[in-house]
Amino acid sequence: MMTAEVLVLRPKKIRRVAWACAVGLVVVFTVVGLLLGNTPTGVIFRTSDQVAMILLGFLLAGGVLLLTRPRVTADASGVDVRNVVTSHHFDWNDVLSVSFPDGAAWARLELPDDEYISVMAVQAVDREYAVSSVRALRELHKAARN
């Protein structure tokens, strides 16, 4: 988790689940695509339909794998938060606190003017890893603010 004063955090469980789902989607859509030509319904499926079905499986798998993208990289100067689609960089002076509200799915950085940014790399389902991650982020924040 911590390497030479640089903290890198990634979610644990969602990465395993996403990879398993992605592989499952590719397998299912490939099997369906290959079996598509033999239907008793009278509908004629061409090779292009079969290829399209397989490609659809890969596209859906790629969408599911976006859930593996979240990452936090923090050091003494600031924190980089990469969520599923967006990325942000904050200097520690711009962060009021690191919090994990009760019932929340992931941690967040509290910012001025009642704003916050979700930290999807620190997820509640990761339990102890999430607790230690928030503590490590809070230590970096505290050290940088002093």
Side-chain angles (χ1 to χ4, degrees):
M1 187 164 52
M2 202 153 179
T3 312
E5 297 182 37
V6 175
L7 180 68
V8 178
L9 305 170
R10 299 195 68 163
K12 300 285 185 191
K13 283 187 181 179
I14 193 69
R15 292 175 70 204
R16 291 190 301 264
V17 170
W19 274 103
C21 287
V23 169
L25 282 167
V26 169
V27 168
V28 167
F29 275 78
T30 300
V31 169
V32 168
L34 294 175
L35 297 177
L36 207 55
N38 300 328
T39 60
T41 62
V43 178
I44 299 171
F45 291 103
R46 293 191 163 81
T47 304
S48 61
D49 299 319
Q50 293 174 303
V51 170
M53 185 63 72
I54 295 169
L55 288 176
L56 183 60
F58 277 98
L59 285 173
L60 290 173
V64 168
L65 288 178
L66 283 175
L67 297 174
T68 66
R69 192 172 185 272
R71 182 180 71 201
V72 171
T73 307
D75 58 17
S77 64
V79 58
D80 291 311
V81 178
R82 183 175 75 185
N83 287 328
V84 174
V85 178
T86 61
S87 296
H88 302 278
H89 172 79
F90 299 100
D91 292 329
W92 283 120
N93 291 333
D94 298 331
V95 177
L96 299 177
S97 66
V98 179
S99 67
F100 208 128
D102 287 339
W106 41 73
R108 63 190 199 182
L109 300 178
E110 303 291 339
L111 304 172
D113 299 325
D114 292 328
E115 293 183 14
Y116 66 88
I117 184 79
S118 297
V119 181
M120 296 178 77
V122 182
Q123 299 185 358
V125 296
D126 290 331
R127 301 188 186 269
E128 287 303 316
Y129 177 75
V131 171
S132 65
S133 298
V134 168
R135 285 182 180 151
L137 284 171
R138 285 177 178 163
E139 287 175 20
L140 279 173
H141 180 251
K142 183 180 176 182
R145 299 278 297 217
N146 291 336

